Amino acid sequence: MDDAESKTSYSHVLKYTGIFGGVQGLNIIIGLVRNKLVALLLGPSGMGLVSLFNSAITFMSQATSLGLSFSAVKHIAEIFDRGDESRILHFIKIIRTWSLITALFGMALCALLGPMLSDYTFSWGDHTLHFILLSPVVGMLAITGGETAILKGARKLRALATIQIYSVFAALVISVPVYYFFGQSGIVPVILLVAMADMAFTIMYSYRFYPLKLNGCRSLIGEGMPMVRLGIAFVLTGIMGSGAEMVIRSFLNVKAGLDIVGLYNAGYVLTVTYAGMVFSAMETDYFPRVSSVNDDVAATNLMVNRQIEVSLLIISPMLALLILALPILMPLLYSHSFAPVVSMAQVAALSMYFKAMSLPIAYVTLAHGDSVAYFILETAYDAMLVLLIVFGYNQWGLIGTGIALTLSYILDLAMILAYAHVRYKYRVSSQVYRYALLQLPLGFSAYAVTHISCEWIYVALGTIITIASGAASAYIIYKKTSLWNKLKSKLLHNG
C-alpha cells in the first residue's frame, strides 16, 4: 500500500484525531473542574480580572517570542527525519540559546511597559505593579515554548501528553487553595505559580531526553537567524490575534464592566475549548502530512477534504449536544451567576461548524510557506472579529457577541476558501458539500429548539436532533472505514 495514500485514509485521520483528542478531552475535564471551583471562589468579576491579565501576558509573550515555538518544530523535525543525532543536539543548543534571549527580552519589556499595559487594559486603578510582578511569566513562557518545540520536533508525543496532564493538575492544585484563602488578591500569584509549574514539568522531560549543555552561545546566536526569520510572520499573526482579544476584552470592560468580561470569557472558552478536542490533532498530525504533499494539487485536495470531512462528522453531534445542554452545563461547570452567558454560548457554538471547515484549508497556506498571505488572512479575520463584536454588543448585548463570533467564522471560511481556490487550485469535494448540507441544518435546528419554552418539547426535539446527527456521522464513518479496510486487505493480499 502506498504510504502517502494511507496517510489520507479515514482510518489514519480518525486514529490521530482520537489519540490527541483523548488527551485534550482529559485536560478539558480537569480544566472544567478547576474553572468550576475558581468561578465559585472568584465570581464573574474575578474571572474577568484573570482573563484581562492572561490576555495581556499572552500578548506580550507572543510579541517577544520571535515565533520560535513554531519555526523550531519544523527545523528539528527535518533533522530528526534524517537521523542526524549530532546535528539534532547542536540545533537544540541553538533553540535554547534563543529561548533564553527572548525570555530575558520579553520579561524586561513587560516590566517597562507595565504603566502602558495598565492604562490600556483597565479603566480603573493603577495595575502597573501587577504587570511588573507578572513579567517573569513572559520569560517562563518563552523557555517552556522552546523546550516544547524540541519535544514536538523529536516526536516525544507521550512526554508532551504527560506534561499537559501534569500541568492541568498542577493548575488545579495551585489555584483553588490560593483563591480560597486570598480571593482576587491571589490572581497574580496563581498566574506566576502555574507558569512556573508548567515550565518545570516541560524542562524535566526535555532535559531528560536532551541534557542542558552551555557552550559557544555567541556562534549559536548567528546560526539561529534563519529560524528566527521564519518565525517573524507567525509572531506578527500572534500579535494581531492576541491584540484583538485584548481589544475585545478591554472594550467590554470599559463598556460594561468586569462581570461582562468574565461572562464573555466563560462562554468563549467553553465553546472553543470543547471544540478543541477535535482540532487538537491538526498541528501535530495533519500539518506535517499536508506539508509533505504541498507540490501535488490532487494529493493536497484529497488530504484537505478528508480532514474536513472527518472533523465535520466528529464535531457536529458534539456541537448539537452542547447547544442543547448548555442551560444545564453552564451552572454545573461554573456557577448560577454565569447563567446570562448561556444564550451567547449557544449561538457562538454554531461558529465551530465553520471553523471545522476553514481550519484544514488555512493550513494549506502554511504548508506552502506563504507566511505573508497567512498573516494577511489572519489579520483580516481579527479585524472583522473586533468590529463585529463591538457592533454585536452595542446592538444586542452579550448574545450579540455570540452572533458576531459565528458571523466572523462564516466570513473567514469564505475568504480562506476563495484564496485557496485561486492560489492553490483547491476544490471542495462533493462529500464535504453533502456532509455540510446534512449536519449544518441539524445544528441550526438544535439552536432553534433552544427558543422553545415548553420543557418536554425541548427535550424531545433536542434528543431527536442529537441522535440524528450522531447516527448520521457514525453511519458515514463506519461505511468509509469499512470500505477502506476491505480495500486495504485486498491490496495487501494481491501484493
Side-chain angles (χ1 to χ4, degrees), residues 132 286 484:
I132 293 174
Y286 167 70
W484 172 255

PDB file of all heavy atoms in Angstrom, residues 132 286 484:
ATOM      1  N   ILE A 132       4.396  44.308  36.432  1.00  0.00           N
ATOM      2  CA  ILE A 132       5.817  44.117  36.750  1.00  0.00           C
ATOM      3  C   ILE A 132       6.025  42.771  37.434  1.00  0.00           C
ATOM      4  O   ILE A 132       6.954  42.018  37.114  1.00  0.00           O
ATOM      5  CB  ILE A 132       6.338  45.269  37.641  1.00  0.00           C
ATOM      6  CG1 ILE A 132       6.334  46.582  36.861  1.00  0.00           C
ATOM      7  CG2 ILE A 132       7.735  44.963  38.172  1.00  0.00           C
ATOM      8  CD1 ILE A 132       6.678  47.793  37.687  1.00  0.00           C
ATOM      9  N   TYR A 286      -1.888  16.527  11.190  1.00  0.00           N
ATOM     10  CA  TYR A 286      -2.348  16.939   9.867  1.00  0.00           C
ATOM     11  C   TYR A 286      -1.380  17.901   9.175  1.00  0.00           C
ATOM     12  O   TYR A 286      -1.083  17.750   7.981  1.00  0.00           O
ATOM     13  CB  TYR A 286      -3.736  17.572   9.987  1.00  0.00           C
ATOM     14  CG  TYR A 286      -4.196  18.314   8.747  1.00  0.00           C
ATOM     15  CD1 TYR A 286      -4.517  17.626   7.582  1.00  0.00           C
ATOM     16  CD2 TYR A 286      -4.300  19.705   8.746  1.00  0.00           C
ATOM     17  CE1 TYR A 286      -4.929  18.306   6.444  1.00  0.00           C
ATOM     18  CE2 TYR A 286      -4.709  20.391   7.618  1.00  0.00           C
ATOM     19  CZ  TYR A 286      -5.026  19.684   6.477  1.00  0.00           C
ATOM     20  OH  TYR A 286      -5.432  20.358   5.347  1.00  0.00           O
ATOM     21  N   TRP A 484     -12.599   1.197   3.362  1.00  0.00           N
ATOM     22  CA  TRP A 484     -11.150   1.378   3.288  1.00  0.00           C
ATOM     23  C   TRP A 484     -10.426   0.123   3.770  1.00  0.00           C
ATOM     24  O   TRP A 484      -9.454  -0.315   3.156  1.00  0.00           O
ATOM     25  CB  TRP A 484     -10.733   2.590   4.102  1.00  0.00           C
ATOM     26  CG  TRP A 484      -9.237   2.696   4.209  1.00  0.00           C
ATOM     27  CD1 TRP A 484      -8.448   2.406   5.284  1.00  0.00           C
ATOM     28  CD2 TRP A 484      -8.326   3.088   3.176  1.00  0.00           C
ATOM     29  NE1 TRP A 484      -7.126   2.597   4.989  1.00  0.00           N
ATOM     30  CE2 TRP A 484      -7.018   3.004   3.697  1.00  0.00           C
ATOM     31  CE3 TRP A 484      -8.496   3.484   1.840  1.00  0.00           C
ATOM     32  CZ2 TRP A 484      -5.897   3.326   2.955  1.00  0.00           C
ATOM     33  CZ3 TRP A 484      -7.376   3.807   1.102  1.00  0.00           C
ATOM     34  CH2 TRP A 484      -6.092   3.724   1.649  1.00  0.00           C
TER      35      TRP A 484
END
